[in-house]
């Protein structure tokens, strides 16, 4: 791909054709990614090391931690951010390859419909990620986790495990839910803005 295509692609990703889209990019890129990258590591970075069960043995702690965390929150949220970015990246890659100017996206029906479709897909992916997060992590992290060690000891045995910094993790969970909701609201607002521009209620740049 030529440098001009790469420049158009990067400009499209950083400066979407709508004001709401630009705000979404700012929120997504600065607040959400910074929050996950910096604070997420601080909260979850050493969770596996401090997760302890009774009896406090390495194999017991490892087995119960894997049961407690089938996937670590940092990995889940990182995958969520990457997957949610794919529809918009695909559209802007298409626009760069076709040499479509940003101002033409809202003026031509096919381009605007294509762009709206990418925003709709972004909403769907966010909602699916929201539901998966509920299934995996719930809304609250308890201080005690009851681990079923039947598969490890070949008999029914429930042991108590201490979850480190459970209150901080609960706050972080709520924050990530909130960020997802804000992102969905911004996507809906962007579709509303495009509709208003196409109906003539707002001037297209």
């Amino acid at each position: 791909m030529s440098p001009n295509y790469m420049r158009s692609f990067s400009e499209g990703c950083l400066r979407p054709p709508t004001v709401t889209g630009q705000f979404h990019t700012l929120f997504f890129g600065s607040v959400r990614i910074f929050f996950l990258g910096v604070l997420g590591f601080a909260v979850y970075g050493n969770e596996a090391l401090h997760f302890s069960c009774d009896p406090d043995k390495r194999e017991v702690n490892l087995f119960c931690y894997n049961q407690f965390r089938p996937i670590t929150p940092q990995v889940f949220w990182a995958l969520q951010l990457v997957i949610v970015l794919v529809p918009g990246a695909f559209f802007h890659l298409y626009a760069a390859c076709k040499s479509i100017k940003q101002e033409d996206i809202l003026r031509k029906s096919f381009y605007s419909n294509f762009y709206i479709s990418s925003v709709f897909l972004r909403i769907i992916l966010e909602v699916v990620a929201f539901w998966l997060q509920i299934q995996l992590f719930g809304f609250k992290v308890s201080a005690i986790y009851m681990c079923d060690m039947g598969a490890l000891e070949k008999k029914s045995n429930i042991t108590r495990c201490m979850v480190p910094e459970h209150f901080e993790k609960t706050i972080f969970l709520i924050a990530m839910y909130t960020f997802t909701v804000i992102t969905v609201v911004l996507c809906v607002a962007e579709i509303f803005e495009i509709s208003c521009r196409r109906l003539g209620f707002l001037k297209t740049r």
Side-chain angles (χ1 to χ4, degrees):
M1 185 174 288
S2 69
N4 289 335
Y5 287 156
M6 292 299 298
R7 189 181 306 110
S8 299
F9 172 70
S10 61
E11 289 178 355
C13 291
L14 296 176
R15 295 184 64 255
T18 63
V19 175
T20 309
Q22 293 176 17
F23 184 77
H24 170 269
T25 300
L26 177 64
F27 172 79
F28 200 98
S30 58
V31 179
R32 197 170 177 181
I33 294 178
F34 174 83
F35 192 88
L36 176 59
V38 177
L39 298 183
F41 179 79
V43 174
Y44 291 97
N46 297 319
E47 183 182 48
L49 296 176
H50 298 150
F51 187 88
S52 60
C53 302
D54 183 22
D56 189 9
K57 297 180 180 179
R58 183 178 182 277
E59 62 272 15
V60 173
N61 293 341
L62 182 60
F63 177 84
C64 290
Y65 182 74
N66 288 336
Q67 187 181 119
F68 174 65
R69 294 285 192 214
I71 180 173
T72 58
Q74 307 102 300
V75 172
F76 175 83
W77 289 320
L79 286 173
Q80 177 187 356
L81 294 181
V82 171
I83 292 172
V84 168
L85 287 174
V86 168
F90 179 79
F91 172 82
H92 292 299
L93 181 62
Y94 170 82
C97 292
K98 294 293 184 179
S99 300
I100 303 171
K101 296 181 180 179
Q102 290 295 97
E103 55 269 19
D104 291 336
I105 294 175
L106 300 183
R107 292 174 181 169
K108 297 185 178 181
S109 179
F110 175 77
Y111 298 151
S112 61
N113 288 337
F114 190 3
Y115 184 76
I116 289 174
S117 298
S118 71
V119 178
F120 264 121
L121 183 55
R122 195 191 310 160
I123 293 173
I124 293 172
L125 292 173
E126 288 281 16
V127 171
V128 171
F130 190 91
W131 179 81
L132 286 175
Q133 183 176 335
I134 293 174
Q135 302 303 310
L136 290 170
F137 311 125
F139 290 95
K140 181 181 179 181
V141 179
S142 301
I144 303 296
Y145 174 71
M146 305 306 293
C147 174
D148 183 3
M149 296 178 56
L152 183 64
E153 299 188 349
K154 308 300 182 182
K155 61 181 181 180
S156 179
N157 186 13
I158 304 297
T159 185
R160 290 161 54 93
C161 299
M162 301 293 294
V163 180
E165 301 170 342
H166 63 96
F167 184 69
E168 289 184 9
K169 292 179 174 64
T170 299
I171 295 176
F172 202 91
L173 272 177
I174 295 173
M176 295 307 293
Y177 281 122
T178 303
F179 289 156
T180 301
V181 171
I182 292 174
T183 302
V184 171
V185 170
L186 288 174
C187 291
V188 173
E190 186 172 10
I191 294 175
F192 180 75
E193 179 184 343
I194 295 173
S195 300
C196 289
R197 290 183 184 277
R198 293 177 66 175
L199 293 173
F201 295 116
L202 294 174
K203 292 184 178 180
T204 303
R205 294 173 299 169

